[in-house]
Structures are given as C-alpha cells and as structure tokens.
Amino acid sequence: MQERLIDRNPLPPGIGARLASQLAFVAEVDRLKSVLRASLLAAEERRENDAEHSWHLALMVIVLAEYAEEPIDVGRTIQLVVIHDLIEIYAGDSPVYDPAAVRTQAVREAAAADRLFTQLPEDQAAQLRAMWEEYEAGTTPEARFGRALDRVEPMLLNWLNEGGTWGMPGANLGTVRARAAGIEPGSSRLHAAVSALIAESTARGWIRPE
Amino acid sequence: MQERLIDRNPLPPGIGARLASQLAFVAEVDRLKSVLRASLLAAEERRENDAEHSWHLALMVIVLAEYAEEPIDVGRTIQLVVIHDLIEIYAGDSPVYDPAAVRTQAVREAAAADRLFTQLPEDQAAQLRAMWEEYEAGTTPEARFGRALDRVEPMLLNWLNEGGTWGMPGANLGTVRARAAGIEPGSSRLHAAVSALIAESTARGWIRPE
C-alpha cells in the first residue's frame, strides 16, 4: 500500500495527537488534485481534476440553490459536494461513459472509503463517512441537488468544448439522456436547461444519435 | 477586454434569462482553474491553482472547524472560502512574498470584483460581493477562520515540500512569521501548530533566518 504523504515528512512534536491526525488527513487529500476526470476544462486545453471539479460544484450550489427541487440547507449541500469524490484518491475516477470502470466502481469505492476516512479521529471518520453515504444514496434533498450538479457541470463543460466527453465511444443520445435524467430528482429546472443543451448539441453533431 | 467563455458558444434559446446569466457565470469561473499560485502541490510536482486551493480550504473548514477561535457557522465559512479567490480570475494571483504584486493588489482586485460579480443577476451580484468583502475585511468569526486556513494550507504544503515558497527571495523567518501571525485571530491553536512547523523548518534550513 502507498505511503501517506505525511509519512514522507512527519509532523514535528508539539502538535497534539488529534490535530496531528487531522493535519495528516488534510495533507493526504492533496492527492485529489491529481485524480484526473474525463472532462476537459473550458478555460484551457487539459483534463479537469477532482479537486477543481469539487470546487466548481460548491460554487454552483451557491449560485444555483434556488433551482433545487425541494428546500435545501446550502451550507450542508456544499459540504456534501466538497467531500463527494474524496474516495477517488484511492479508487480513481470512473468515467460515466466507460462501462468497465463503472462495473467495478462500487467495490473499489467502498474499500477506498474504509481506508481513507479511518485516518481521521473516530468521530470525524463517522461524520465524513455518513456524509459520503448520504450523497451516494441521494436520500436527502441536499444529496439529490448535489448529485444533480455533479451531472450538470460536465455537461456544461462539454457544451463549451463543442462535445467533450460526448465524443467517447460509450456516449450517444441515449446514454447522455440517461445520465441527464439523474438531474431531475434534484432539479427539474436544471434538467430542462441541460435537455436544451443536449438537443442543440445533437443537432450540431456533437452527440451521436442512438 | 477578454471575451467571456460563454461568448465562444452562447447558450441555446429556451433557457430563461436569469438562469442563462447564472450558467454563463458558472462557465466563466472555470478560469479559476487556470490561475496558478506560487505553492507547489504535495502529491505531484506542479504549482497549485486557485480552484484546487479553494477546494482544499473548504475541506479544511469541515475537518478543522473545532479550532476556530470563536463559534462559527461551518456552512457559511465554506461559502466564504469557495468564493474568496474568484476575483483572481481577472486580477491574477498576488504571491505573498512578492512585494511588487502585493503593492498593486487592492486596486487590481477591486476592478476585478466590479467586472466579475456584475455578470450575475443583481441580487446575487450583491450577495457574492458582500461575502467577498466580508472575507477580505475579516470582520466576522467565519471570515477570520477562513483567512487563517488560507495561511495554514500553503504552509502545510511548504512543510510537505521541504521549503516550497519559503525559498522565494522575499521569504525569511521574519516575513514567514508575519504571514503566520494572520492565523492567530482565526485560530490560536492552528497558529501554535504552524509555529511549530516554522521553528522546525528553520532548524532544518528550509526557512532563512532574518
């Protein structure tokens, strides 16, 4: 197993055990900046990483909260999106249009969660694990809205890139619409807007018909 | 003046004016992923960008909130750190150990704020501008804790990089300690921990004595 980043240069004495384990965790999650997604940025020609993506979702919660299907606690929704991809530090990204990656995703991610969250003090390990599970299950208005934004963001990037990941082998009008359908439980208004992007992108040849 | 990212590929009709301007803003802030900071990552050898940095602060609010000097609203603190560097999209980063950049910083950032936030609907432009000004002024416990984390994060990265930006010409024990002093109003506990990192880093030769 890979060493933790902090093990390369352990913290000096004089920092209490609880804070030291929290700072070690804060150091370890620097790895999220190195997990590449399939999505291309709009502002420059390179792939997006998970930390940037998670920040973008947090910003979208602030700007788009009024479109949530049910009333949401904005602060709690941001917490969910900030931590939603943390387990990819060890599990890697699973591109939605890559069936092989999606097949093994759940098993890889549960193992990664066990390994990651247990690096925190017990109370916080339980708290972050519960937030991640809430997000994954989509059982609250906050989780449903976060999951909606997680689908809106890459589709907006694809629009700005004149196709982007819609050009991947597994993507066509059917699979793209199926992915976009996951927006509706969190926000029917945003689902309608994304549907307009998808229709126009198909008309322009950026999405293959089924 | 640079065109907005959305102007390269305007949104299709059928999306209301308010939502369209919000989505255009969400697209435009993709640029934050291209604003490079002086800090090096711990996980790979490249410079950190503002979007990654902002995400890291948001995660730190969740994990380190218990060390805030005064009680804070965690959700509101995360909102402040998520938006705190947005104006650098147009103003650029101002490395703290670069006196020339710091000298012109306030003027550049105020102009950038005028240009950026006005792209949102009026109510949200006022809301985000007020949050940014609250953060800058450090007038609330949430702003003070966010500003503390903004100093802790690069110092932790420097520790993991065996010096990092502490090797810049303008950095020495005096300027590093002065920068770290900005942590104290937000968190004396985190200030004490960072002071331990600074003392040990000086002993190891990663920070020049004054």
Side-chain angles (χ1 to χ4, degrees):
Chain A
M1 190 170 284
Q2 206 177 19
E3 65 172 358
R4 293 183 314 160
L5 289 175
I6 202 70
D7 295 329
R8 295 186 196 161
N9 199 18
L11 293 168
I15 298 174
R18 180 173 170 92
L19 176 52
S21 74
Q22 290 161 324
L23 290 176
F25 182 86
V26 166
E28 184 68 2
V29 300
D30 196 65
R31 293 188 191 279
L32 199 67
K33 303 167 187 172
S34 300
V35 179
L36 293 183
R37 293 168 49 80
S39 294
L40 299 172
L41 300 187
E44 62 178 298
E45 284 189 45
R46 66 168 174 83
R47 287 165 63 189
E48 186 184 41
N49 69 56
D50 270 349
E52 297 168 325
H53 163 70
S54 298
W55 167 79
H56 214 158
L57 297 195
L59 191 279
M60 290 169 76
V61 173
I62 298 173
V63 173
L64 301 174
E66 67 195 83
Y67 303 105
E69 203 62 20
E70 302 149 274
I72 55 165
D73 178 326
V74 168
R76 219 169 67 75
T77 310
I78 301 184
Q79 292 188 56
L80 295 182
V81 301
V82 163
I83 65 120
H84 86 288
D85 270 343
L86 273 183
I87 47 85
E88 295 190 1
I89 284 172
Y90 301 134
D93 180 54
S94 304
V96 291
Y97 303 120
D98 176 350
V102 170
R103 205 152 38 228
T104 61
Q105 186 173 2
V107 172
R108 280 183 292 111
E109 293 192 347
D114 290 340
R115 181 172 160 209
L116 180 70
F117 295 126
T118 51
Q119 295 173 36
L120 281 167
E122 213 170 317
D123 58 316
Q124 288 195 318
Q127 178 203 346
L128 266 73
R129 175 94 192 209
M131 286 202 289
W132 175 64
E133 288 177 350
E134 174 187 337
Y135 176 89
E136 284 294 307
T139 44
T140 58
E142 285 81 8
R144 284 190 286 275
F145 190 60
R147 293 174 68 80
L149 298 181
D150 189 41
R151 284 155 180 74
V152 173
E153 192 248 13
M155 297 214 183
L156 185 60
L157 289 180
N158 280 352
W159 172 262
L160 294 165
N161 277 296
E162 307 194 345
T165 63
W166 289 331
M168 287 176 73
N172 61 45
L173 184 55
T175 56
V176 171
R177 275 194 181 139
R179 181 75 186 157
I183 300 170
E184 196 153 27
S187 174
S188 50
R189 292 282 306 278
L190 293 180
H191 181 253
V194 166
S195 297
L197 291 187
I198 291 172
E200 180 63 23
S201 296
T202 307
R204 295 187 191 182
W206 301 342
I207 297 173
R208 277 181 296 277
E210 280 173 277
Chain B
M1 190 171 281
Q2 206 178 21
E3 67 172 357
R4 292 184 313 160
L5 289 175
I6 202 69
D7 295 330
R8 295 186 195 161
N9 199 19
L11 294 167
I15 298 174
R18 180 172 169 92
L19 176 53
S21 74
Q22 290 162 323
L23 290 175
F25 182 85
V26 166
E28 185 68 3
V29 300
D30 196 65
R31 294 188 190 277
L32 199 67
K33 302 167 187 172
S34 300
V35 179
L36 293 183
R37 292 167 52 80
S39 294
L40 299 172
L41 300 187
E44 62 177 298
E45 283 189 45
R46 66 167 174 83
R47 286 166 63 190
E48 185 184 42
N49 68 56
D50 270 349
E52 298 168 324
H53 163 69
S54 299
W55 167 79
H56 213 158
L57 297 195
L59 190 280
M60 290 169 76
V61 174
I62 298 173
V63 172
L64 301 174
E66 67 194 83
Y67 303 105
E69 203 62 21
E70 303 149 275
I72 55 165
D73 177 326
V74 168
R76 218 167 68 75
T77 309
I78 302 184
Q79 292 187 56
L80 295 182
V81 301
V82 164
I83 64 120
H84 86 287
D85 270 343
L86 272 183
I87 47 84
E88 295 190 1
I89 286 172
Y90 300 134
D93 180 54
S94 304
V96 289
Y97 304 120
D98 176 348
V102 170
R103 206 151 38 228
T104 61
Q105 187 173 2
V107 172
R108 280 183 292 110
E109 293 192 348
D114 289 341
R115 181 171 160 209
L116 180 69
F117 295 127
T118 50
Q119 294 173 36
L120 281 167
E122 212 170 316
D123 58 317
Q124 288 194 318
Q127 179 203 345
L128 267 73
R129 175 95 192 206
M131 286 201 289
W132 175 65
E133 289 178 350
E134 174 187 336
Y135 176 89
E136 285 293 308
T139 44
T140 59
E142 286 79 8
R144 283 190 286 274
F145 190 60
R147 293 174 69 80
L149 298 181
D150 190 40
R151 283 154 182 74
V152 173
E153 192 248 12
M155 296 212 184
L156 185 61
L157 290 180
N158 281 352
W159 172 262
L160 294 165
N161 278 295
E162 308 195 345
T165 63
W166 290 330
M168 288 176 73
N172 61 45
L173 184 55
T175 56
V176 171
R177 274 194 182 141
R179 181 74 185 157
I183 299 170
E184 196 153 28
S187 174
S188 50
R189 291 281 307 276
L190 293 180
H191 180 253
V194 166
S195 296
L197 290 187
I198 291 172
E200 180 63 24
S201 296
T202 306
R204 295 188 191 181
W206 301 341
I207 297 174
R208 277 181 296 276
E210 280 173 277

